[in-house]
Amino acid sequence: KSGTAAAAQGAVYYVATTGFDTNTGTEALPWRTIQKAVDVAKPGDTIIVMPGNNDRTYIKTSGAPGYPIIIKGFTSPDKSHVNMQELYDPHNPKLNIGNPNLNAVSRGFVFYPDLGKPSIKYIRIENFEITNIYDPTKPFPQGGGIYLGGRLDTVTIENIEIVNNFLHDLNAKPPAENESFVNGIWGANRYVKNIFVKANTLFHTQGTAINVMGDTWLVEDNDVSHTLDTNTDSGATVNGDSD
């Protein structure tokens, strides 16, 4: 099996829309943002995200062998608010918004090491609803629900698990902008290694639903349908294949 160990042995932190990043991150005093929790977490820690809407998270820290950092929604994502059996019209798709009442909803996760920084290793992403991806207030890269982008020969993304997430309606930037398409789960280059992608549902994703690039991926039991090259929020056609 590729990826990290399934269980951590460190601290447990909580994120909730009722919290504040000045809190202590306990269940009684949760943080407001996943970003705060990720920036604090050490190898072996678990971050539990309660139902609610969450911003895009940039991951630059690492777990360790046998001590992954686990970032997970409180419950398995409910999908009942999305009609995944809809009549397929790739040019006029219906917009589906997230369900923050039941799910830990996120704009997505970016794994992208800074130049000269250590690699990112041993992270698990689980139980999130990831949707409506484009946010004009955020910097590059926004290229996917979960973006795995290694840099240089010595800076890699390694030993990552992506399990039981629900990715849908990943709307891209307009074609006139630099990054004009997104993908669901995107291995961006050959420095992405030992990736485990299991039991995710991908619906209304633009570009390629799961883009495998790098070394040693295990991809199994994922459900992919209704891929698009059209934004569901605006109807704009975006660049890139729909596979």
Side-chain angles (χ1 to χ4, degrees), residues 127-170:
N127 286 355
F128 283 94
E129 180 181 7
I130 299 173
T131 188
N132 299 325
I133 208 71
Y134 177 53
D135 180 354
T137 69
K138 295 297 177 182
F140 176 85
Q142 291 198 70
I146 300 177
Y147 179 92
L148 305 162
R151 298 174 65 160
L152 307 178
D153 289 330
T154 60
V155 182
T156 58
I157 311 296
E158 298 183 53
N159 298 97
I160 307 300
E161 290 188 350
I162 301 169
V163 179
N164 196 43
N165 299 284
F166 178 32
L167 299 90
H168 68 91
D169 292 80
L170 302 186

Side-chain angles (χ1 to χ4, degrees), residues 155-212:
V155 182
T156 58
I157 311 296
E158 298 183 53
N159 298 97
I160 307 300
E161 290 188 350
I162 301 169
V163 179
N164 196 43
N165 299 284
F166 178 32
L167 299 90
H168 68 91
D169 292 80
L170 302 186
N171 291 305
K173 291 184 180 183
E177 300 193 38
N178 290 334
E179 187 183 15
S180 55
F181 66 94
V182 297
N183 297 298
I185 298 168
W186 187 358
N189 57 46
R190 63 191 177 96
Y191 306 120
V192 180
K193 303 178 181 181
N194 300 323
I195 309 299
F196 181 62
V197 181
K198 181 179 175 68
N200 301 281
T201 299
L202 298 102
F203 176 86
H204 277 183
T205 57
Q206 270 111 4
T208 306
I210 303 173
N211 190 70
V212 176

Side-chain angles (χ1 to χ4, degrees), residues 47-183:
I47 299 164
I48 297 176
V49 182
M50 306 305 291
N53 285 320
N54 298 275
D55 205 349
R56 197 158 175 77
T57 302
Y58 290 76
I59 298 173
K60 297 181 182 293
T61 190
S62 290
Y67 297 90
I69 295 173
I70 298 174
I71 310 165
K72 63 185 298 185
F74 182 66
T75 61
S76 180
D78 178 82
K79 306 180 185 73
S80 62
H81 56 296
V82 176
N83 177 17
M84 289 183 286
Q85 306 303 318
E86 70 177 22
L87 181 65
Y88 188 33
D89 182 355
H91 303 294
N92 188 32
K94 175 186 175 182
L95 173 65
N96 299 280
I97 61 174
N99 186 1
N101 291 323
L102 296 179
N103 297 334
V105 181
S106 170
R107 284 187 181 271
F109 296 88
V110 172
F111 292 76
Y112 195 68
D114 293 328
L115 283 172
K117 299 294 183 180
S119 303
I120 301 172
K121 301 180 181 182
Y122 298 101
I123 304 287
R124 180 180 176 101
I125 305 291
E126 181 178 0
N127 286 355
F128 283 94
E129 180 181 7
I130 299 173
T131 188
N132 299 325
I133 208 71
Y134 177 53
D135 180 354
T137 69
K138 295 297 177 182
F140 176 85
Q142 291 198 70
I146 300 177
Y147 179 92
L148 305 162
R151 298 174 65 160
L152 307 178
D153 289 330
T154 60
V155 182
T156 58
I157 311 296
E158 298 183 53
N159 298 97
I160 307 300
E161 290 188 350
I162 301 169
V163 179
N164 196 43
N165 299 284
F166 178 32
L167 299 90
H168 68 91
D169 292 80
L170 302 186
N171 291 305
K173 291 184 180 183
E177 300 193 38
N178 290 334
E179 187 183 15
S180 55
F181 66 94
V182 297
N183 297 298

